[in-house]
Amino acid sequence: MKKIVLAYSGGLDTSVAIKWLTERDYEVVAYLADVGQGQDFNVVKERALKTGAVKVIIDDLKREFVSDFIFPALKANAVYEGKYFLATALSRPVIAKGLVRAAEKEKAAYIGHGCTGKGNDQVRFEVTAMILNPKLKVVAPVREWDLPTRDAEIEYAKLHDIPIDVTKKKPYSIDKNVWGISIESGKLEDPYFEPPEDIYQMSTSVDKSPKKAAYVEIYFEKGIPKKINGLTYAPLKLVEALNVLGGKHGIGRTDMIEDRLVGIKSREIYEAPAAVILSEAHKALELLTLDRETIHFKEKVTLEYSRLVYFGLWYSPLKTALDRFIDTTQKRVTGTVRVRCHKGHAVVVGRKSPHSLYRETLATYGEGDTFDQSLAKGFIQIFGLPYRK
Ligand code: ARG
């Protein structure tokens, strides 16, 4: 028997994968990572065991996920193609890390996942595992088996007595964690089809959100959010609290066409209330505390960093080096940002910092101006010289 630790979600694909693997002489340990998807783990555990897993590991990765993956991405202002806060993409390296850890502990030579051959997630899982432990061999049943449709998988499941929820036909593919939800497929595959209201799980529609705005004060220390309205929060609790607040005010919905690593354009709907609030606040504090050249250079870093995260290169040398650069910039990013949450918008309305580079005496058009305007004339002559020539 070959021992395999399979990243298990409890859904149809990975349930069928357990059976498929056991039929091919694998001893399957189901590995279930908790990244905040809000599942009933007892039900899922039972399902894995009934389907043929010899053991189920439930691994709570929520804290590690927020501190070591989400917050570094926040410091980078990471966002893919201007709209996607990378919730799914960020969760893959932490799950893969846990999976590798579990495989090493179980002394398994194989790891497995239930990703299709068309997506980004297979790349993220496998490249991460490759970097962390190149000896582990990967099996991806969904890429190999001869079950071309969801209905074929359901048939297979029925034939093999695999307990699944076949009663209610799942209209969409949903991936959820503490940093947000990704919703795709089904009717959403038509990019002109408007997402129906009932697909949203984390946010209220703007029609039903409160008429009155809510103000929230977020305190950052070296780029890391630490307090909400003066109260200290642990990282996970802080993100959860802002998801609730932002969700209530309809913040964080995105509908986009994105470019996958494998060359396909796909349509995805996202909800990420906390990500939007924190990202807006963090960027505002950087604009207050960082010098112009650093801000402009960091914007380029943000683009590259986001691509690397999306492409599954979390543990790559370049991404690691960019983290060091970003950490250097964040030394000054301490202070408080006041955000107005209202009808789908998170708007920064105030910012203050002990490291503020804003000088009212330089900026003012009123009394007490210390900026010597007479110097501007010569400055412009020299600045414009290359073009005058
Ligand atoms: N498109 C997103 C990404 O590649 C999410 C993928 C998973 N989406 C889903 N609805 N299951 O990061």
Side-chain angles (χ1 to χ4, degrees), residues 84 86 88-89 92 120-121 124 173-175 182-184 258 260 266 268 270 310:
Y84 168 37
L86 296 160
T88 299
R92 296 328 188 201
N120 299 310
D121 288 330
R124 297 167 181 155
S173 158
I174 296 174
D175 181 67
S182 312
I183 309 156
E184 69 175 347
E258 72 189 41
R260 287 191 194 166
S266 65
E268 192 103 40
Y270 296 106
Y310 188 87

Side-chain angles (χ1 to χ4, degrees), residues 5 31 57 59 97-108:
V5 181
Y31 174 82
I57 299 169
D59 203 2
K97 188 182 179 200
L99 186 68
V100 167
R101 218 159 33 204
E104 287 166 351
K105 230 175 126 200
E106 293 292 325
K107 297 191 174 34

Side-chain angles (χ1 to χ4, degrees), residues 189-257:
E189 283 172 4
D190 170 3
Y192 208 75
F193 174 78
E194 183 176 348
E197 189 51 40
D198 64 8
I199 68 168
Y200 296 103
Q201 298 183 20
M202 293 176 87
S203 60
T204 312
S205 85
V206 166
D207 296 335
K208 293 195 179 124
S209 72
K211 282 205 181 66
K212 200 168 169 289
Y215 287 84
V216 61
E217 262 188 15
I218 303 165
Y219 170 75
F220 289 83
E221 219 172 84
K222 298 194 168 92
I224 303 274
K226 297 271 180 182
K227 294 182 192 174
I228 300 174
N229 297 331
L231 293 173
T232 302
Y233 281 70
L236 173 63
K237 294 278 175 233
L238 185 136
V239 172
E240 285 172 344
L242 291 178
N243 273 331
V244 172
L245 176 82
K248 184 176 154 193
H249 289 275
I251 291 164
R253 292 184 180 186
T254 304
D255 173 346
M256 75 183 287
I257 302 289

Side-chain angles (χ1 to χ4, degrees), residues 51 117 127 187 191 224 331 355 372:
T51 311
V127 173
K187 285 187 177 155
I224 303 274
K331 283 183 189 144
H355 304 309
D372 184 351

Side-chain angles (χ1 to χ4, degrees), residues 115-155:
C115 305
T116 75
K118 292 174 74 171
N120 299 310
D121 288 330
Q122 51 174 347
V123 183
R124 297 167 181 155
F125 276 127
E126 292 183 38
V127 173
T128 303
M130 220 176 265
I131 293 173
L132 296 179
N133 186 341
K135 288 203 192 85
L136 288 168
K137 287 171 279 222
V138 180
V139 186
V142 180
R143 276 197 314 234
E144 285 183 34
W145 65 37
D146 197 19
L147 301 166
T149 61
R150 197 182 150 78
D151 285 338
E153 285 182 47
I154 293 172
E155 272 315 302

